[in-house]
């Protein structure tokens, strides 16, 4: 087994919208303030399928939407900020 | 060895509050800005720094400087997230510059010294701010979010660093936050504030130009970060510069005040418009007080439209959404 660094780029395979009522506790505040958020399954260009939040979308993006990974805050637990990757539309950061 | 800026980038969050939306909510116009970027709920100064830095490819990084007055923690090394997020190997000397609006130029000079002393290598300086003052209070109104990344290396294809002069003094009561608080306080004596600011700018800029043998007419751009935007004209005049020189490097109308990243954002605007050989005087001031004047000469990799591209990619939000994003409601 060897370490392999993904490019962070991929395509949305499926996505849905998580409303405030459906958000897990750690994301409830985010959902309450934003009115919900998109999550999706992303096929990385190198093959693996990854499930993550999709940021910058006002509705679930259609399959095939090109995305790239970005590091964002996930939630705060016992004062510790947890960071992780989410995906945003490719080209959203100029 | 000529050290300079090899590459640069900036990142502004997509959500934008316009002056019109602010005016609609408050019936008064904001001072000096037409729009500002607002961080999303899952963004903070560290993620903004990553977003800016990930747009430049410095190759190997030897020195990594993080600049921000609004980092998520008061006590914790935080540049490590930046190093890991950029895929660096963790063998960098990191420094964090956090206590005033002058932190950006402070970091730039420190990296310059490190590169000069070590005889080479690559430095990455990243400044980022996400306002933490209450959005509905006067102190929060002029604050915007944004980040700038500068790659420093020998050669400096975007801009060569020609010299600097710093000054410091003890000026109590101006834009300070006591330990244990987050609010920015000020004694609100405008004459005192502007006299101390102008004195700092003069004490840094005039000796630098004298030492380099330059005068204001030799510079195409003057970058300023006054604590009050209305003081920019006075500062330029105090050191013999024209309105055209500072206004050509004044991103404030499109960004509002991005704190310690403000001098770098002005530098990016200047570099975007510069021709090779154009001189830039960068003046970074922090209340308390300290001031750095840095003289640069643009190189052939300046003029890349970086700020214009960042400003163009936004979506307008209303004032209620702004408050939600600032977690003010």
């Amino acid at each position: 087994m060897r370490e392999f660094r993904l490019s962070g780029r991929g395509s949305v395979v499926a996505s849905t919208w998580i409303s405030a009522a459906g958000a897990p506790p750690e994301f409830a505040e985010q959902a309450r303030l934003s009115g919900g958020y998109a999550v999706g399954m992303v096929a990385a260009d190198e093959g693996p399928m990854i499930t993550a939040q999709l940021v910058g979308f006002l509705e679930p993006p259609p399959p095939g939407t090109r995305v790239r990974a970005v590091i964002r805050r996930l939630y705060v637990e016992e004062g510790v900020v947890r960071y992780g990757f989410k995906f945003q539309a490719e080209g959203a950061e100029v | 060895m000529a050290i300079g800026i090899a590459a640069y980038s900036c990142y502004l969050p997509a959500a934008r509050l316009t002056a019109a939306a602010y005016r609609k909510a408050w019936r008064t116009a904001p001072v000096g800005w037409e729009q500002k970027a607002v961080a999303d709920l899952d963004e903070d100064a560290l993620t903004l720094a990553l977003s800016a830095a990930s747009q430049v490819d410095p190759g190997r990084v030897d020195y990594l400087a993080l600049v921000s007055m609004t980092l998520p923690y008061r006590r914790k090394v935080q540049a490590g997230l930046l190093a890991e997020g950029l895929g660096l190997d963790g063998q960098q000397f990191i420094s964090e510059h956090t206590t005033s609006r002058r932190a950006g130029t402070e970091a730039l000079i420190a990296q310059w010294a490190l590169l000069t002393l070590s005889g080479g290598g690559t430095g990455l300086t990243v400044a980022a701010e996400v306002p933490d003052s209450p959005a509905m209070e006067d102190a929060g109104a002029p604050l915007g979010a944004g980040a700038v990344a500068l790659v420093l290396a020998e050669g400096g294809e975007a801009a060569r660093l020609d010299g600097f002069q710093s000054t410091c003094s003890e000026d109590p009561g101006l834009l300070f936050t006591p330990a244990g608080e987050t609010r920015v306080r000020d004694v609100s004596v405008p004459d005192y504030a502007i006299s101390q600011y102008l004195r700092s700018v003069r004490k840094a800029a005039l000796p630098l130009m004298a030492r380099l043998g330059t005068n204001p007419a030799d510079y195409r751009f003057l970058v300023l970060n006054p604590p009050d935007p209305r003081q920019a004209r006075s500062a330029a005049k105090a050191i013999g510069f024209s309105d055209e020189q500072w206004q050509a490097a004044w991103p404030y109308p499109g960004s509002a005040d991005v704190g310690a990243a403000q001098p770098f954002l002005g530098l990016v605007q200047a570099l975007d418009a510069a021709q090779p050989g154009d001189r830039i005087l960068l003046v970074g001031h922090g209340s308390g007080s300290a001031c750095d004047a840095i003289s640069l000469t643009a190189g052939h990799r300046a003029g890349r439209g970086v700020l214009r591209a960042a400003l163009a990619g936004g979506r307008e939000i209303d004032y209620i959404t702004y408050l939600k994003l600032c977690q003010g409601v």
Side-chain angles (χ1 to χ4, degrees), chain B residues 78-301:
Chain B
Q78 293 163 83
L81 182 82
L82 192 54
E84 291 211 14
L86 293 171
L88 304 181
D89 61 5
Q91 296 295 312
Q92 290 70 38
F93 172 80
I94 58 173
S95 60
E96 298 179 351
H97 306 259
T98 61
T99 59
S100 84
R101 298 165 50 77
R102 169 243 178 194
T105 50
E106 164 191 315
L108 186 60
I109 291 170
Q111 284 224 329
W112 184 1
L114 280 168
L115 290 166
T116 302
L117 286 170
S118 62
T122 302
L124 177 60
T125 298
V126 192
E129 299 284 12
V130 171
D132 56 4
S133 291
M136 286 186 66
E137 295 185 6
D138 287 348
L143 304 179
V148 177
L150 304 175
V151 177
L152 269 68
E154 188 174 357
E157 291 90 346
R160 188 184 70 230
L161 296 160
D162 296 322
F164 76 94
Q165 177 67 50
S166 298
T167 181
C168 64
S169 58
E170 170 56 17
D171 301 322
L174 299 172
L175 293 179
F176 65 102
T177 302
E181 296 185 15
T182 56
R183 278 185 168 78
V184 177
R185 295 201 209 170
D186 191 84
V187 294
S188 299
V189 182
D191 288 348
Y192 167 52
I194 192 166
S195 70
Q196 299 307 313
Y197 172 59
L198 297 183
R199 188 189 65 172
S200 290
V201 171
R202 279 194 208 97
K203 281 178 66 179
L206 297 179
L208 174 63
M209 287 191 286
R211 197 171 74 243
L212 295 175
T214 57
N215 60 63
D218 295 325
Y219 292 87
R220 184 173 169 203
F221 304 98
L222 171 63
V223 182
L224 296 166
N225 72 326
D228 181 329
R230 291 166 289 197
Q231 297 171 358
R233 177 170 285 110
S234 301
K237 189 177 176 184
I239 55 173
F241 282 69
S242 68
D243 284 349
E244 290 73 22
Q245 286 166 299
W246 70 267
Q247 285 170 348
W250 184 247
Y252 199 95
S255 66
D257 180 0
V258 290
Q262 191 71 29
F264 288 174
L265 207 61
L267 178 60
V268 167
Q269 183 175 1
L271 290 173
D272 276 354
Q275 299 294 321
D278 282 345
R279 280 203 173 100
I280 302 163
L281 185 64
L282 168 65
V283 182
H285 171 270
S287 299
S289 300
C291 189
D292 305 310
I294 303 172
S295 184
L296 305 96
T297 302
H300 67 274
R301 287 193 70 187

Side-chain angles (χ1 to χ4, degrees), chain A residues 68 88-94, chain B residues 8-12 16 51-52 54-56 304-314:
Chain A
R68 63 181 293 260
Q88 71 175 21
E90 211 168 52
E93 288 178 25
V94 180
Chain B
Y8 60 96
S9 66
C10 73
Y11 170 73
L12 298 177
R16 306 292 162 81
S51 294
S54 62
Q55 296 176 56
V56 289
R304 302 172 79 85
V306 168
L307 180 60
R308 187 173 60 245
L311 286 169

Side-chain angles (χ1 to χ4, degrees), chain A residues 37-52:
Chain A
Y37 55 85
V39 297
M41 295 173 68
V42 173
D45 287 350
E46 296 82 0
M49 192 78 76
I50 301 163
T51 301

